[in-house]
Amino acid sequence: MNELLCPECRARCPFDKARWRCDCGSYLDIEFEPVFDIAKIKSRPPNLWRYREALPIRDEANIVSFDEGFTPLLEIELAGRKVLIKQEQLFVTGSFKDRGATVLISKVKELGIKSVVEDSSGNAGAAIAAYSAHAGMPCEIYVPEHASPAKLNQIKAYGANLRTVPGPRLNAAIEALKAAESSYYAGHAFNPFFLQGTKTFAYEICEQLGWRAPDTLVLPVGNGTLLLGAAIGFDDLLKAGIIDRRPQLIAVQAENCAPLYGKFHNKSSESKTAEFKNTLADGIAVTEPVRADQIIEAIRQSGGNILMVAESDIKAAWIDMGRRGFYIEPTAAAGIAGLLRYLPQAGSGEVIVSAFTGHGLKAGQIVP
Ligand SMILES: *Cc1c(COP(=O)(O)O)cnc(C)c1O
Ligand SMILES: [Zn+2]
């Protein structure tokens, strides 16, 4: 236990070492036994560090935090039925990526690492930049040239070294990996400590439901860091005997960029899913998710599904949420559009949870 494990070659190493990939080149996973003391958890302030014994940080002095988390789980009515929406747009940088960043940057501090490298099309870069700033640590963020200007300005505002890379999103990842040879790669899709943060999404939902799991979770998915984190979180609670089943995981992708949909439904040869176009949901425009196989396995194990939504559905859901007072990022609206698609097949008493994953101010250039 408390080890880094390679899912490819099964190599192991203790996670006190500043390693971010296996010798074989694969990303690493974490084997870590979380502890839940419900009385202690309840006595603590409403932020995600209330689950401290379930988070892989040894010394409290290393925690880099803005008291983030424990976002409201708000009930709204959608297509005539009640659903619960976790308000992840309320994080300090405006997206759920802060869950991953607070744990990852705390771990970086604990390991004595002096600088980090990340690549992102926006929100993860902003989160890593903000938490690095809070820790007083330099960071370098590689972004594709075409990334949203508002997101780039946010990253710059945190004082990060912003490196814009021409060409597709993948080029930024390649450059970041090169730079990481002499630094530490805090890539959110790659680094397993990021998922150790996003797993608190599941802990909070279960606590907010009275330590019960929902039946269904519907999320927009690109690299799958929220979905995989949630899967780890529900698994942890199941193993600890706190909940008695896993919810089914429903991933939503934009029709214009749906590699996971294609893989899941074995349609990768069909032009519709093999071709990538721009989408309003730029936060899930990931053409080659690093952990694709893991994402698909987690969805299969949960008895879930992957859905696809059109640009017109994303826009309609975004406008509808705005009219109800929720100014969310279009990427978040893709999840809601997927939820609308899922609802007709939902059972009558089914407890369904989704999330507003990012804030509307992230995409202020988009006109309703
Ligand atoms: C990152 C992001 C997503 C998708 O998360 P993945 O980890 O890429 O699956 C969804 N919505 C918003 C607002 C995001 O920033
Ligand atoms: Zn390996």
Side-chain angles (χ1 to χ4, degrees):
M1 278 299 157
N2 290 10
E3 281 182 319
L4 294 165
L5 169 69
C6 173
E8 285 297 318
C9 73
R10 315 304 294 176
R12 287 167 180 276
C13 84
F15 68 49
D16 306 329
K17 280 201 179 161
R19 297 205 63 154
W20 54 268
R21 76 172 151 200
C22 182
D23 291 336
C24 80
S26 169
Y27 60 80
L28 295 162
D29 286 326
I30 285 176
E31 291 215 331
F32 169 70
E33 194 145 347
V35 173
F36 301 94
D37 180 334
I38 293 194
K40 246 190 207 165
I41 291 169
K42 280 187 179 158
S43 73
R44 289 178 178 151
N47 65 61
L48 63 81
W49 287 98
R50 68 204 266 109
Y51 310 107
R52 181 176 313 151
E53 294 83 4
L55 299 173
I57 304 298
R58 211 161 267 150
D59 185 349
E60 223 165 272
N62 293 323
I63 293 176
V64 180
S65 169
F66 294 99
D67 275 7
E68 58 289 296
F70 225 75
T71 53
L73 185 62
L74 205 66
E75 188 177 272
I76 68 167
E77 204 175 291
L78 211 57
R81 68 172 294 158
K82 296 195 188 317
V83 293
L84 296 161
I85 311 285
K86 198 124 164 84
Q87 307 289 302
E88 301 286 284
Q89 80 279 26
L90 300 181
F91 276 97
V92 75
T93 77
S95 88
F96 76 83
K97 300 293 194 312
D98 293 12
R99 291 187 187 278
T102 184
V103 172
L104 174 50
I105 298 302
S106 298
K107 193 67 203 177
V108 161
K109 191 173 167 190
E110 186 152 272
L111 290 168
I113 292 160
K114 298 293 178 232
S115 69
V116 297
V117 176
E118 152 80 312
D119 58 282
S120 156
S121 62
N123 289 348
I128 295 294
Y131 283 81
S132 296
H134 199 34
M137 188 179 58
C139 76
E140 219 175 355
I141 312 283
Y142 288 79
V143 292
E145 220 170 33
H146 56 77
S148 144
K151 292 181 181 179
L152 299 189
N153 288 336
Q154 187 184 4
I155 294 170
K156 273 190 230 164
Y158 295 130
N161 298 309
L162 188 69
R163 312 260 187 249
T164 49
V165 184
R169 166 74 179 81
L170 198 60
N171 291 5
I174 293 166
E175 288 306 311
L177 283 168
K178 269 190 225 157
E181 299 289 345
S182 57
S183 179
Y184 182 77
Y185 187 46
H188 62 292
F190 207 95
N191 196 300
F193 289 105
F194 197 87
L195 302 180
Q196 291 292 305
T198 53
K199 73 181 185 182
T200 58
F201 178 74
Y203 298 171
E204 290 177 17
I205 290 170
C206 292
E207 183 175 355
Q208 286 167 320
L209 292 174
W211 297 108
R212 280 201 323 258
D215 296 303
T216 304
L217 182 64
V218 182
L219 294 175
V221 169
N223 273 311
T225 64
L226 188 54
L227 182 126
L228 286 172
I232 294 171
F234 290 123
D235 257 11
D236 286 350
L237 295 172
L238 192 68
K239 277 187 205 137
I242 295 169
I243 58 173
D244 56 9
R245 66 199 147 81
R246 294 189 182 97
Q248 60 165 342
L249 304 173
I250 311 279
V252 183
Q253 294 221 285
E255 221 168 76
N256 282 0
C257 185
L260 295 167
Y261 176 91
K263 224 173 170 184
F264 189 82
H265 297 285
N266 287 318
K267 286 179 184 157
S268 42
S269 55
E270 263 182 35
S271 60
K272 202 170 182 185
T273 55
E275 230 175 65
F276 302 119
K277 298 190 214 106
N278 280 338
T279 168
L280 273 172
D282 65 334
I284 50 170
V286 180
T287 56
E288 288 172 64
V290 179
R291 294 178 181 265
D293 294 341
Q294 255 182 1
I295 295 168
I296 284 167
E297 179 59 23
I299 293 169
R300 286 235 161 89
Q301 264 193 19
S302 78
N305 196 4
I306 304 187
L307 308 174
M308 204 163 67
V309 291
E311 291 302 291
S312 55
D313 300 334
I314 298 171
K315 183 100 190 226
W318 182 62
I319 288 174
D320 179 36
M321 290 304 114
R323 297 287 153 94
R324 297 164 182 238
F326 299 110
Y327 189 44
I328 58 173
E329 202 177 320
T331 306
I336 302 306
L339 180 55
L340 277 165
R341 176 149 301 186
Y342 171 74
L343 285 180
Q345 74 200 66
S348 58
E350 197 173 315
V351 178
I352 302 167
V353 173
S354 188
F356 290 150
T357 50
H359 201 287
L361 294 170
K362 295 272 195 174
Q365 77 283 5
I366 295 172
V367 181

